[in-house]
């Protein structure tokens, strides 16, 4: 399978891609399934990381590596306008339904909108824009989960202290302030870039078998 060197995507993905084509029922089902998988991966990594106050902000570094692979699969399997937004919208809905704190579903939905705009700018063919779109997607989701802690939202903090204890929340709050917040954000960026690069390598090699 030849690869389009300019766009950095598999040749077949370029030939069949483009934002001019509308999503089919099958496309919606594909996006839905992998949106749920992407959300589940982040929840699992976040739950494991949350065993430690320092580990929770690092869920972005770890979680967006498999998340990036899933993202690249979605945009190569369904290279059509709306796929990335669908990923964000479904993820936001799941977060809302399970009771994620106030701003989290909004940030996740915003991630889908911003990611869609960036990836669509390259007509789902430009790999650099796919990477950039996912980095922004990941950062918005990550910050959505950090925002109640970073801004010390009273209702959230009171509930969290009762669940996790004063020491845990004090340590976590210290991790998402100032330079440390930026450091953890940079780690999230590294995870998102690594995930998309791994996805590109995986699906450039096996792309024809995946879509066949």
């Amino acid at each position: 399978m030849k690869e389009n060197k300019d766009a950095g995507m598999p040749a077949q993905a370029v030939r069949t891609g483009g934002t001019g084509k509308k999503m089919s029922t099958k496309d919606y089902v594909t996006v839905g399934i992998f949106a749920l998988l992407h959300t589940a991966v982040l929840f699992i990594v976040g739950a494991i990381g949350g065993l430690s106050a320092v580990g929770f902000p690092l869920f972005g570094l770890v979680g967006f590596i498999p998340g990036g692979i899933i993202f690249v699969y979605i945009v190569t399997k369904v290279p059509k306008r709306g796929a990335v937004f669908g990923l964000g919208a479904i993820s936001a809905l799941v977060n809302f339904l399970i009771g994620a704190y106030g701003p989290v579903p909004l940030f996740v939905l915003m991630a889908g909108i911003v990611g869609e705009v960036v990836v669509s700018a390259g007509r789902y063919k430009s790999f650099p824009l796919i990477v950039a779109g996912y980095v922004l997607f990941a950062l918005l989701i990550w910050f959505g989960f950090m925002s109640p802690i970073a801004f010390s939202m009273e209702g959230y903090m009171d509930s969290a202290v009762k669940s996790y204890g004063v020491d845990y929340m004090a340590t976590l709050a210290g991790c998402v302030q100032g330079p440390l917040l930026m450091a953890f954000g940079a780690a999230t960026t590294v995870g998102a870039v690594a995930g998309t690069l791994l996805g590109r390598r995986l699906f450039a090699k096996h792309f024809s078998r995946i879509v066949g």
Side-chain angles (χ1 to χ4, degrees):
M1 179 68 64
K2 293 183 179 180
E3 185 175 305
N4 183 299
K5 294 182 179 180
D6 295 331
M9 297 299 294
Q12 185 172 344
V14 173
R15 289 199 300 272
T16 60
T19 56
K21 293 187 177 183
K22 294 182 179 180
M23 290 175 61
S24 65
T25 301
K26 182 180 178 181
D27 294 332
Y28 283 112
V29 171
T30 298
V31 171
I33 290 171
F34 285 92
L36 293 175
L37 179 60
H38 186 278
T39 304
V41 166
L42 294 185
F43 279 143
I44 292 169
V45 174
I48 294 172
L51 296 174
S52 163
V54 177
F56 181 61
L58 280 172
F59 88 85
L61 171 63
V62 180
F64 290 112
I65 294 176
I69 295 172
I70 295 168
F71 186 85
V72 171
Y73 179 83
I74 291 172
V75 299
T76 53
K77 183 72 171 177
V78 188
K80 300 172 184 177
R81 187 187 300 276
V84 174
F85 173 73
L87 169 61
I90 293 170
S91 299
L93 179 60
V94 172
N95 277 276
F96 176 77
L97 291 176
I98 66 172
Y101 191 73
V104 173
L106 295 177
F107 271 96
V108 177
L109 181 61
M110 190 186 308
I113 294 171
V114 172
E116 177 65 41
V117 169
V118 175
V119 176
S120 291
R123 297 182 60 81
Y124 278 69
K125 300 175 184 178
S126 169
F127 187 72
L129 286 179
I130 288 172
V131 174
Y134 190 63
V135 166
L136 294 173
F137 183 90
L139 283 171
L140 282 166
I141 292 177
W142 175 81
F143 188 72
F145 280 96
M146 297 301 111
S147 61
I149 307 161
F151 297 120
S152 298
M153 294 182 177
E154 187 174 347
Y156 175 83
M157 294 300 287
D158 290 343
S159 175
V161 166
K162 292 178 182 178
S163 299
Y164 300 104
V166 175
D167 292 341
Y168 180 100
M169 291 308 299
T171 301
L172 181 56
C175 290
V176 292
Q177 300 289 337
L180 280 177
L181 179 67
M182 292 186 286
F184 283 119
T188 298
T189 300
V190 170
V193 171
T196 51
L197 291 175
L198 285 172
R200 176 191 178 185
R201 182 171 184 177
L202 176 63
F203 300 132
K205 182 178 181 180
H206 302 291
F207 188 77
S208 60
R209 178 161 55 85
I210 290 170
V211 298

